[in-house]
Amino acid sequence: MNKPRFMTVVRHIIEEEKMHPEATGELSRLLADFTLAAKVISLEVNKAGLVDILGFTGDNNVHGEKVKKLDMFAHDMLIKAMDHGGHFCVMASEEEEDIIHIPSPYKVGKYVLLFDPLDGSSNIDVNISIGTIFSIYKRVSPPGKPGTVQDVLQQGMHQIAAGYVVYGSSTILVYSTGHGVHGFTLDPSFGEFLLSHQNIQIPKKSKIYSINEGNYKYWHPGLKKYIKYLQEEDTTTERPYSSRYVGSMVADIHRSLLYGGIFMYPADSRSPMGKLRLMYECNPMAYIIEAAGGRASNGKQRILELKPKSLHERTPVFIGSEYDVKMVEEFIAREEIEENILIKES
Ligand code: AHM
Ligand code: MG
């Protein structure tokens, strides 16, 4: 089907909602609020090399990492754009330890918002792509009152919308409400996100793997074998694969979504839960990738079925083309069976 011309993201969201008679239009309005924040953050990211916004604020975030000014700018911008619409009962951000309540006098609503305001922020100073990730749920606590931690700690499969913005050679917003995954490119001349990638389907099998290979020494033996397998030559399975790693999850996953690929941030002997955060990094990305026909797991279990225990918890993640994610799961499982046999024999 031909792409409609000048399909803005807001019009697209409204058209999508029309296909669901039960929809109230509220999701359209809150996603429209999000696009405003995304445009402002994009502008600020593009100016980062020009204005005195680079460098550390001197503060540490809740994980003890240095916070850059642009992270905080994006965090504040998202809250400002989203807190007053009457849509949300609670929010949560990578940059804030506790849940974020809706300030009075604004009304509390029925939705829950989680976000990573600026992911890949170590790449800001070197002009490499970074991104914003968001995830939306319906509240589970009774209506009319402030939201609770329980509203935030839902399994990823209960998300009703998720998406990301990648600030790269152009700014692209990708979102899904569970019915297809769609991408919009920001036209900076008139400040609109226009439909550029309709109904994205991730290739079932890829030829690209994406992982920080500097951590090889600390990996699970099954993962070591899998990566070696990808590097061997075999024309029938299109090996060796290419290796690509930006170090910004949003950029690495965006490439995987469009070209096919497997992005991995595994557990290792130094970081037994991996690095990436379940609630506002892995769950929304898993939702998008699954909606595009891909697969996302922690090596053993589907990401979207993990039961969260805390807001900032981490999880290992293997995400991308279905064939490739299944393959790494098999390598990990096979190695564990072999290890168990050896333990029993000794
Ligand atoms: P951040 O949330 O502090 O920016 O960290 C998350 C980023 C991801 O975007 C990326 O995939 C990963 O950290 C890269 O980590 P590493 O440098 O260990 O490879
Ligand atoms: Mg992050």
Side-chain angles (χ1 to χ4, degrees):
M1 196 175 80
N2 282 342
K3 265 198 306 263
R5 295 177 74 194
F6 290 107
M7 173 63 90
T8 66
V9 65
V10 173
R11 188 174 138 210
H12 191 271
I13 295 164
I14 293 168
E15 304 270 314
E16 280 259 302
E17 264 210 324
K18 276 193 204 152
M19 289 192 280
H20 304 280
E22 72 288 359
T24 59
E26 198 171 349
L27 192 58
S28 307
R29 290 193 291 276
L30 72 84
L31 286 170
D33 287 348
F34 175 81
T35 64
L36 174 66
K39 286 181 209 172
V40 179
I41 297 167
S42 174
L43 201 66
E44 212 58 26
V45 167
N46 291 154
K47 284 195 310 199
L50 299 171
V51 295
D52 182 28
I53 200 162
L54 292 179
F56 296 128
T57 59
D59 298 333
N60 285 347
N61 72 8
V62 291
H63 316 299
E65 302 150 346
K66 284 279 183 202
V67 176
K68 298 203 165 179
K69 282 183 182 170
L70 213 47
D71 304 46
M72 282 318 291
F73 175 86
H75 167 86
D76 293 343
M77 188 61 227
L78 279 159
I79 293 175
K80 267 188 223 155
M82 309 302 276
D83 68 359
H84 58 277
H87 311 302
F88 294 107
C89 63
V90 67
M91 299 187 276
S93 160
E94 171 163 354
E95 298 298 341
E96 194 141 331
E97 182 152 15
D98 293 324
I99 56 174
I100 302 162
H101 288 294
I102 304 302
S104 66
Y106 303 132
K107 281 203 322 205
V108 292
K110 62 178 182 216
Y111 295 106
V112 177
L113 174 69
L114 287 90
F115 57 89
D116 182 351
L118 213 54
D119 185 64
S121 47
S122 64
N123 281 329
I124 297 172
D125 287 356
V126 283
N127 212 12
I128 291 175
S129 300
I130 47 183
T132 297
I133 310 170
F134 72 94
S135 164
I136 297 171
Y137 296 83
K138 275 202 177 130
R139 70 183 301 168
V140 290
S141 63
K145 297 198 175 121
T148 65
V149 176
Q150 279 64 45
D151 291 315
V152 165
L153 293 185
Q154 298 189 50
Q155 283 168 290
M157 62 181 167
H158 299 305
Q159 288 170 103
I160 57 161
Y164 62 81
V165 185
V166 55
Y167 311 102
S169 48
S170 49
T171 295
I172 294 188
L173 183 154
V174 172
Y175 89 96
S176 178
T177 52
H179 314 280
V181 176
H182 311 285
F184 300 80
T185 303
L186 181 64
D187 185 323
S189 55
F190 55 94
E192 283 286 2
F193 281 104
L194 298 175
L195 182 62
S196 51
H197 302 75
Q198 193 171 20
N199 209 4
I200 305 169
Q201 290 285 309
I202 183 169
K204 288 286 172 201
K205 182 190 173 305
S206 81
K207 291 184 286 185
I208 303 172
Y209 71 93
S210 187
I211 190 168
N212 183 344
E213 275 183 282
N215 295 328
Y216 181 88
K217 182 179 181 318
Y218 309 107
W219 290 345
H220 186 286
L223 180 59
K224 287 184 177 170
K225 284 192 183 164
Y226 172 68
I227 299 296
K228 285 289 163 219
Y229 166 85
L230 295 182
Q231 294 168 345
E232 287 161 11
E233 192 177 7
D234 174 44
T235 46
T236 56
T237 51
E238 302 178 287
R239 287 180 289 143
Y241 277 33
S242 291
S243 165
R244 296 280 183 279
Y245 190 70
V246 176
S248 279
M249 184 198 204
V250 179
D252 280 316
I253 291 194
H254 185 64
R255 184 198 55 247
S256 306
L257 181 65
L258 297 185
Y259 290 175
I262 175 166
F263 170 81
M264 297 166 268
Y265 211 109
D268 64 37
S269 56
R270 288 190 305 182
S271 313
M273 291 310 290
K275 174 178 182 187
L276 299 180
R277 314 285 170 168
L278 174 62
M279 297 311 297
Y280 41 76
E281 292 179 331
C282 298
N283 268 338
M285 288 307 196
Y287 181 87
I288 292 279
I289 290 289
E290 283 200 8
R295 187 175 175 96
S297 91
N298 66 359
K300 291 176 186 164
Q301 205 184 343
R302 190 175 164 224
I303 291 286
L304 296 181
E305 288 176 10
L306 298 175
K307 291 199 173 120
K309 292 182 199 65
S310 65
L311 174 54
H312 297 290
E313 76 184 63
R314 299 170 197 264
T315 178
V317 64
F318 301 87
I319 184 166
S321 296
E322 187 181 34
Y323 171 94
D324 301 274
V325 176
K326 276 188 180 161
M327 184 70 84
V328 72
E329 287 168 343
E330 279 168 28
F331 268 83
I332 291 171
R334 206 178 303 149
E335 194 63 26
E336 287 188 358
I337 291 167
E338 280 171 23
E339 267 177 23
N340 284 338
I341 293 170
L342 285 176
I343 291 167
K344 277 188 194 143
E345 285 174 353
S346 63

